[in-house]
Amino acid sequence: MRRRTALTAVVTVTTALALAGCGQESTDDPAPGQAGGKPTVCLVMKSLANEYFQQMQTGAVTHVKERNDLTLDSSGTQNETDVDGQVALVESCITKRARAIVIAPADSKALVQVVAKAVKADIKVVNIDVKLDDGALQQAGVEVPFVGPDNRDGARQSGKVLADLLGKGGKVVILEGNPGADNATQRKNGFNDAVSEGGLTLLDSKTAHWETDEANQVFASMLTAHPDIQGVLASNDSMALGAIKVIQERKANVKVASFDNIPAVKEHLQSGVMVSTLDQYGSKQAADGIDFAMKMIGGEQVTGWQKTEIKLITKDNVGS
Amino acid sequence: MAVLEVSGLTKRYPGVTALDAVDLDVRPGEVHVLIGENGAGKSTMVRCLSGIERPDAGGMTLYGERYQPDSAADALQAGVRVVHQELALLPNLSVAENLFLHHLPHRAGVVDRSALNRMARDLLTEVGLDLSPRTPVERLGIAQMQLVEIAKALSGQCRLLIMDEPTATLTPKETGRLFEILRRLTATGVAVIYISHHLEEIFEIGDRVTVLRNGKHVTTQEVAGLTTAELVRFMVGRDLAHEYPPVRPRELGAELLRVTDLKITPAAPSLSLAVRAGEVVGVAGLVNSGRTEAMRAIFGADRSASGRVEVRGRPARLRHPRTAVRAGMSFLTEDRKAQGLVLDLSIAANMSLANLPAVSRFGLLNRAAEAASASALAEKLRVASRGVRQHVRALSGGNQQKVVLGRWLAADTDLLIVDEPTRGIDVGARYEIHQLLLDLADAGKGLLVVSSDLPELLGICDRIIVFSRGAIAGEVPRAEFDAERVLNLAYSGYLKGVAV
Amino acid sequence: MTAVTAPRAVGGRWASQVLGEAGIGVALVALVAFFLAFAPYFGTSQNVRDIMTQITINTILAVGMTFVILVGGIDLSVGSVIALCAVVAGTAMTDSGLPTALAVPFAILVSVVIGAVTGFVNGFVTERWVVPSFIVTLGMLYVARGAAQQYTGAATIYDLPPGLTRFGTATFAGLPAVFVVAMLLVAVAWFVLSRTVFGRLIYATGNNEEAVRLSGHRTSLIKVACFVIGGACVGVAAIIYMARLGVASPILGQGYELNAIAAVVIGGASLAGGRGSVVGTLLGACLLGVLSNGLNLMGVSDFQRTMVTGAVIIVAVVLDAYRRRLSVRLS
Ligand SMILES: Nc1ncnc2c1ncn2[C@@H]1O[C@H](COP(=O)(O)OP(=O)(O)OP(=O)(O)O)[C@@H](O)[C@H]1O
Ligand SMILES: [Mg+2]
């Protein structure tokens, strides 16, 4: 009986897959990637649960409405590190025969393979947010333009504000993002640049996985272990918020330099506990990427790193 | 050379010495019976022999070789096969898979199902279980499970067979069959250690008998030449004048329970019965004759049943045991381990489970009151324990049975349905439990007593309802009590089936 | 042998009781001693207060989880449900226009009700269709997370009433106020589990559901109630989170369910149900909290900290299992 059930299951699944395959072929679009004459551009993002990517998507949608010469097909993964999920998203873009793909890779190396597949399928690919690994791209034999901010430079700028304030010998700690994430590495490098350029003393550097609660705990221990901390370099605003709670609770004289510029930090910039954060105009990034993608569809050659605007935010320009 | 030689076997549990330097020798081809009161140490002996417990002292030899099993697998390897007192089948697997779990027939690692089912069917036929080997074990009644356990012990090579109360839930038909198998086995030189509280069985199948009391070896004798009275004296250290307490004539009161057109499943025959206040109604029948299912249905334990149940003239719905308990019913289940005991709770907690309002106020437990009422019951039922705070898991089988029984005595409902009430209980305590049941009837309660032990029913009931093949085949009043008559009724449904 | 037997080996029984009750406490004491010796500042009153604050949320979640695990269930959705509770209750405070004195109680009510309702759904579906709670709550994990994101459009909620955030940093008799809340919850849960009929039925149901049902109790009701309690605790934890950190984000709480389950199991509970205690759970939460705090203070690197945490969890439960056997032998 059990064996028969297994057999039935196998037959059912096979049939279902076969039917699905047929269905796909029969509905195949005669003019691939053109809906109503407009080219389709796929926007593949990381987790839309992240406020940052949410803004990016909103920006892209608005921008596309303004341009009105393409159809946008945007999608995001379940979480920031869902590499498999993102590969599947790109694959479905290839299947849908999009004309171009704009992608914010969840991993700078793991996505190269499928991106190369897209390029070879004659789909224009524009890389935004985190740069795909050069070595891996070279190995795959493809070239993909990168449109995005310079995270390292941004972090250096934000950190410099703190360094200037504290002066030589100022004692600081770094709160890192997810170990292994490219933007986390870039920001950490940028902060380290600021530390060495400004002659600061780095007491500790630990990850709090981008999270408020964890940053709160990690920084509390740091401050206990080093009561003389003068500054925190937080790789994103969520972690900065967690650290600021500790600072307020202990009435410590510690300043924070951060990154992202989410609305929740505005009051802290005004109150002075946060001295700087960095806006990389996430909402514009995807829009820029789409612009470049359209140029490429139009036959233009786009290569290399097209840096997007970043802006240092301090008490002076945060507004009220 | 002896098959098994045990010398100075000692096993201590916290607060109790379960086995105290016990010697035992078992000869080839003999059925060696082990008897003793509840908690005497019989099952502990079995657990030591089967590698489940490691003795604290003493040695064992099997066919002259040192025998020191560290696990059940070791015992199996040595050809020691065991039927434990408590059932240990895997409910989600089929009967066949349970039977051959340790040595599934396979081809290159893939289970050979046709061979498995063929072998299983042969074994089942041997123990007289008419059942598809593919049936999941969870669908079986307790007697059927017991037979599967027996069949399992017979599956494969065996030098020493140990059976701990295999017949506690079986009817004479299955027991007879089991004895035939045992005789066949012993004829080939296999030795059997056999434990039972049914003393008459000892005379039928036993060659020698060893008596344990409080963990100590009392005597080992040839069965031939012994009398029941002598056995009892060895076991309990005193004489038992009567096997059953006297049944005093009782004034029957109002009708307590009336069951009309009860159907276990839509296609099943419809059942009707009634119990009056002060009446002890026996329920007899063969294994799987539908007795237990009917009781469960009356109690609302299974949803699929239909029909009318009235308690004191008021309809009680067959939806949930809760309604039954509220209406004033108690139900002692046949399978104490699966359906009765909460093994990791104390004796007191187990006894109060159906009577929590009495030991609590505003939802708060009064633990002192709970302990007091449990102590009183434990005393009455002679539960051998280190006190009512002890976990039920550490009790011997018979004492566990007393605990579940105590739960329903505590609930003090008008109507008690008891399924195999004396399962695993020793002769001494049996008498007292029978007395307790009769006292309840004297106090105006109604009792439905299901038992596979016909003499028990004949001993204490006012009338006996006989089930056969899912239907009520007839009823015998006390005045006409006769074992033959009951048995004929019990078989009647099946004979009709053959005649058609 | 009769029902009454004289107590024997009194000393052994006492030792067994200490071992049996103190449970994971032995491992905790060892860990504390270790950090006192090797982690600078570990014993300072500031740091002790930090630890208390840091274990508050996990303790509250784990207390709720204890109820669920005792009846043989599991709740994987707490990490998501806490986010849902927080964002909805947070919005209730920032957007309702109520004065703080009303907004905060209202938010607490909202949060606890949302938690309890998700708990009810978890329990009801599990019981009504007899499906594993593992899968039902896994589904709820996604549903609640999605709902939280949908509700806020992924935005972080801030500007919570200062009254609430002041409570988050307030102290009560020298102890963090939020920690006191957690301790109160532990005390109530302990009382319910060990002193009430309901608590008794919880243990009994976790142990042998059929026996309890056949004794005339509605076990489904008991089990669903445990899920509801678990959910309500999540609602409380959400409020504590906002009080402490002053923000609520739809992505908060990822992985909290595993921390809560770990605390319960380290505390000696059986995942099969029927065995465990809130005191054990509290000790389990303390162990996890002390471990992470102490390793941070020692300046152990991120990767080593992760490894050590895992290893200590394993060692702790192995010790616990060994201790339990020892206590049985001594009794
Ligand atoms: N796991 C255990 N922990 C503590 N005590 C135990 C344990 N198992 C058995 N005992 C005790 O050992 C004694 C002997 O128990 P055992 O099960 O061997 O009795 P038995 O002769 O099989 O009785 P019964 O006829 O009731 O089955 C009892 O007093 C019992 O309480
Ligand atoms: Mg026994």
Side-chain angles (χ1 to χ4, degrees), chain B residues 38-39 41-44 47 85-86 164-165 195 197 336 396-398 424:
Chain B
N38 293 134
K42 305 179 295 294
S43 300
T44 306
R47 283 197 295 270
Q85 183 173 13
E86 301 299 335
D164 194 351
E165 296 191 33
I195 296 172
H197 287 295
R336 58 175 172 253
S396 79

Side-chain angles (χ1 to χ4, degrees), chain B residues 13-14 16 18 36-45 47 53 85 164-165 197 384-385 390 393-399 424, chain C residues 1:
Chain B
Y13 288 115
V16 50
E37 283 181 293
N38 293 134
K42 305 179 295 294
S43 300
T44 306
M45 170 78 96
R47 283 197 295 270
E53 294 272 20
Q85 183 173 13
D164 194 351
E165 296 191 33
H197 287 295
S385 74
Q390 190 179 6
R393 188 184 289 282
L395 294 182
S396 79
N399 286 302
Chain C
M1 211 188 236

